[in-house]
Amino acid sequence: MSDTNQEIPKSDEVNKELSKTLDVLVQNAYKSIVKCTKTAQSFPSTHENSLLIASPNYISGVAGTSDKVMTLVDSLLKTQNISKSMSKLYLEGQKDILTEANDKLLESINTRIDVMAGTKTPSVLPSQPKIVKESWNKNAKASNVWQEVHDNKKKSANWFMLNKGAVEIERPQLQFKVKVDNSYEQLFEPKLKEKPNALKPLAILLEKYDAIESFCHPYEYELDLYVPKEDFLKCEEPKQALPLSDTPLMMITEPEQVTQLVSELKQQQEIAIDLEYHNYRSYQGYTCLMQISTRDKDYIVDTLKLREDLEVLNEVLTDKNIVKVFHGADSDIKWLQKDFGLYVVGMFDTHQACKFLPMPRQSLAYLLKHYCDVDSDKTFQLFDWRHRPLPEPAIQYARTDTHYLLYVYDCMKLDLSAAAHGKQNLVLSTFTNSRNICKLKYEKPVFNEEGYMNIFRSH
């Protein structure tokens, strides 16, 4: 009895020491978290980051810090016997693995607290955590584009961490055969030299509305008369997009390939189109890439190299018998006019379709997830599309924007019909609103001496 009584104070002393040690650990952890939070809050805002991302030093610094953070997180994951490496995963995979690791840590902490409190016996503690090797995104479909990209990826890389020799990109506009006119006095004049699919001969006339002068839209007459074919209004069973791995990809880098592209596109009833643009180091900006998809093939056009060779695409883009599917084409329409003299007749803008449907969001990323269960990596929204050659993941990202868009087009027509109780008026309204976007004209940005105030007010 006396022996037992002698041990009690020792036990109390041990608990007190453990409590003090725990308090110190908690305080130190709290200080570290506060410091980490303050550091994170000092990072550039979205607007500032969009300006700084063009700087090689900034990119290098961010990439270096990112690598250090990834290494630290990998070390923490190893303590839980999780064999996955953060640097080898895409954004969604990183979120999944962090969530899983966090759950395991919290469960382990709660169990140990219960053991210390005496509500559980030490036997409930895990003896050896199981090493996790299977996919963290268990619910993802096999066709998920980022899983396909991951399978194609040979080694991990930060897509903004370009090597030193490649980060200093020569200004593409220096190689343009027709130099860009940034002067304020000279109006933008349509580049069109020929007018395929014309109902009215080509005439580039100067117009004046409310004392503002501009050149007329070369295809305004054709757009005014455009009515989609009855077949385009029909809502049939959506045609599932082929997996990326089973879909041929043609990189268009030579003028001869443009001729082949036009020939193949003329055989289609509908095509999907998207553009990648750059304006960080350019007054008016310029199109760096054009992605086009049919039902069974993807194309990526190097618009920097072929800038003066793409007007022939008007044979397809102004053909009213071919539906051109875009998403959020307000800027694309103007960029096509400015850079290549291209115009669109017969467009279906999925962003316009969203306005007739109860969509919580109207972005292309949401539509890809909603209809195709495909996750779009936001990383590439700030990618410098001037970079050549393009890294493979950037190519995969670019083609994804159009690869699934025709299937989204099919699904949205069905949803529009259902919202109209089986009638076609909402599908027709989408075509009408899309036609109005096609009638937009590119105009040079007007310099405003007070323009800097918009940036000032946003901060």
Side-chain angles (χ1 to χ4, degrees):
M1 184 72 177
S2 59
D3 293 340
T4 306
N5 290 335
Q6 290 176 356
E7 292 179 0
I8 292 176
K10 292 181 180 180
S11 177
D12 288 341
E13 288 180 12
V14 171
N15 287 337
K16 287 180 180 178
E17 288 299 322
L18 288 173
S19 179
K20 289 180 180 179
T21 303
L22 183 61
D23 287 341
V24 172
L25 287 173
V26 170
Q27 290 298 323
N28 290 338
Y30 178 76
K31 291 178 182 178
S32 297
I33 292 172
V34 170
K35 185 178 179 180
C36 181
T37 303
K38 289 182 177 179
T39 302
Q41 290 175 343
S42 68
F43 288 172
S45 65
T46 301
H47 175 73
E48 292 169 335
N49 186 68
S50 66
L51 297 175
L52 291 170
I53 200 69
S55 167
N57 291 334
Y58 178 74
I59 295 173
S60 178
V62 170
T65 302
S66 176
D67 290 341
K68 291 179 182 178
V69 172
M70 291 299 181
T71 301
L72 288 173
V73 174
D74 285 345
S75 299
L76 289 174
L77 293 176
K78 287 180 181 178
T79 64
Q80 296 300 305
N81 280 4
I82 296 175
S83 62
K84 290 286 186 179
S85 175
M86 290 287 287
S87 59
K88 296 180 180 180
L89 295 173
Y90 292 95
L91 183 61
E92 290 303 316
Q94 290 174 348
K95 289 180 181 178
D96 291 338
I97 199 172
L98 285 177
T99 300
E100 185 74 15
N102 190 60
D103 289 344
K104 291 169 73 70
L105 283 169
L106 290 177
E107 183 179 357
S108 176
I109 291 170
N110 288 332
T111 300
R112 282 166 169 74
I113 290 174
D114 289 341
V115 170
M116 291 180 65
T119 58
K120 289 184 179 181
T121 62
S123 61
V124 301
L125 293 174
S127 56
Q128 184 69 25
K130 183 180 179 181
I131 297 178
V132 180
K133 292 185 178 180
E134 66 271 13
S135 171
W136 286 93
N137 194 2
K138 297 178 181 178
N139 297 323
K141 293 185 176 179
S143 62
N144 188 303
V145 62
W146 294 117
Q147 185 59 45
E148 294 184 44
V149 172
H150 179 68
D151 292 340
N152 291 333
K153 188 178 171 189
K154 305 280 182 165
K155 59 182 180 179
S156 63
N158 185 326
W159 311 125
F160 292 107
M161 184 55 184
L162 307 177
N163 60 62
K164 293 182 179 179
V167 80
E168 296 294 341
I169 301 174
E170 182 183 5
R171 297 170 63 200
Q173 55 268 49
L174 296 178
Q175 304 301 322
F176 293 167
K177 295 176 183 176
V178 179
K179 301 305 178 183
V180 178
D181 181 7
N182 288 326
S183 65
Y184 174 68
E185 298 81 7
Q186 188 69 32
L187 296 174
F188 172 76
E189 184 173 354
K191 298 181 176 182
L192 206 61
K193 302 180 184 67
E194 298 180 358
K195 189 179 177 182
N197 305 303
L199 299 178
K200 187 176 181 180
L202 176 63
I204 308 298
L205 305 175
L206 190 62
E207 301 175 330
K208 189 173 184 178
Y209 292 105
D210 296 329
I212 298 177
E213 292 184 334
S214 65
F215 286 95
C216 67
H217 192 300
Y219 278 90
E220 184 174 11
Y221 182 76
E222 286 75 12
L223 286 167
D224 285 338
L225 297 181
Y226 174 75
V227 177
K229 293 166 55 177
E230 190 65 29
D231 288 347
F232 297 164
L233 302 178
K234 292 180 180 179
C235 304
E236 301 175 345
E237 187 67 23
K239 299 176 183 177
Q240 184 72 45
L242 296 172
L244 280 178
S245 56
D246 296 339
T247 307
L249 171 63
M250 183 176 182
M251 303 295 292
I252 311 295
T253 59
E254 301 297 334
E256 304 78 36
Q257 294 176 303
V258 177
T259 303
Q260 179 185 345
L261 171 65
V262 171
S263 177
E264 293 182 7
L265 294 181
K266 282 183 176 181
Q267 309 304 315
Q268 306 300 318
Q269 191 174 27
E270 60 272 313
I271 59 175
I273 304 174
D274 189 36
L275 305 177
E276 302 299 344
Y277 200 71
H278 178 88
N279 59 3
Y280 292 136
R281 297 189 177 185
S282 169
Y283 180 60
Q284 296 187 65
Y286 44 83
T287 306
C288 298
L289 214 64
M290 181 189 299
Q291 305 96 275
I292 304 176
S293 290
T294 65
R295 297 285 183 180
D296 51 17
K297 192 172 183 178
D298 297 328
Y299 306 85
I300 292 184
V301 183
D302 187 346
T303 55
L304 293 179
K305 186 176 182 181
L306 300 172
R307 182 180 174 92
E308 285 79 22
D309 301 299
L310 296 178
E311 189 178 325
V312 66
L313 282 173
N314 273 320
E315 295 180 19
V316 175
L317 296 184
T318 62
D319 187 344
K320 65 178 182 180
N321 296 313
I322 302 174
V323 177
K324 278 67 68 174
V325 183
F326 285 74
H327 180 85
D330 304 59
S331 295
D332 292 346
I333 290 297
K334 296 178 181 179
W335 295 339
L336 288 171
Q337 296 174 15
K338 173 178 69 71
D339 292 337
F340 319 115
L342 294 175
Y343 295 82
V344 180
V345 176
M347 180 177 75
F348 184 98
D349 189 333
T350 51
H351 181 258
Q352 296 300 316
C354 288
K355 297 179 179 181
F356 295 110
L357 298 171
M359 296 283 185
R361 294 187 296 278
Q362 298 180 355
S363 66
L364 178 57
Y366 173 77
L367 296 183
L368 291 176
K369 182 65 177 176
H370 178 70
Y371 289 112
C372 311
D373 195 30
V374 168
D375 296 306
S376 182
D377 190 345
K378 301 291 185 182
T379 304
F380 287 96
Q381 290 185 344
L382 294 177
F383 184 74
D384 190 342
W385 293 101
R386 301 175 303 163
H387 185 62
R388 295 294 186 275
L390 288 170
E392 183 63 24
I395 293 174
Q396 297 291 342
Y397 168 84
R399 70 186 293 203
T400 301
D401 283 353
T402 55
H403 179 81
Y404 297 95
L405 196 52
L406 292 180
Y407 176 71
V408 171
Y409 160 70
D410 292 342
C411 293
M412 296 197 82
K413 285 206 299 182
L414 275 180
D415 288 348
L416 289 169
S417 179
H421 307 290
K423 297 183 179 180
Q424 300 174 338
N425 54 305
L426 291 184
V427 178
L428 180 58
S429 295
T430 300
F431 271 106
T432 300
N433 290 351
S434 301
R435 179 190 65 186
N436 293 336
I437 292 175
C438 292
K439 294 172 71 174
L440 294 173
K441 296 188 299 182
Y442 177 77
E443 303 290 349
K444 283 185 182 178
V446 177
F447 176 75
N448 182 356
E449 293 182 354
E450 301 295 326
Y452 71 94
M453 290 299 295
N454 294 328
I455 300 176
F456 177 76
R457 294 188 189 100
S458 67
H459 291 74

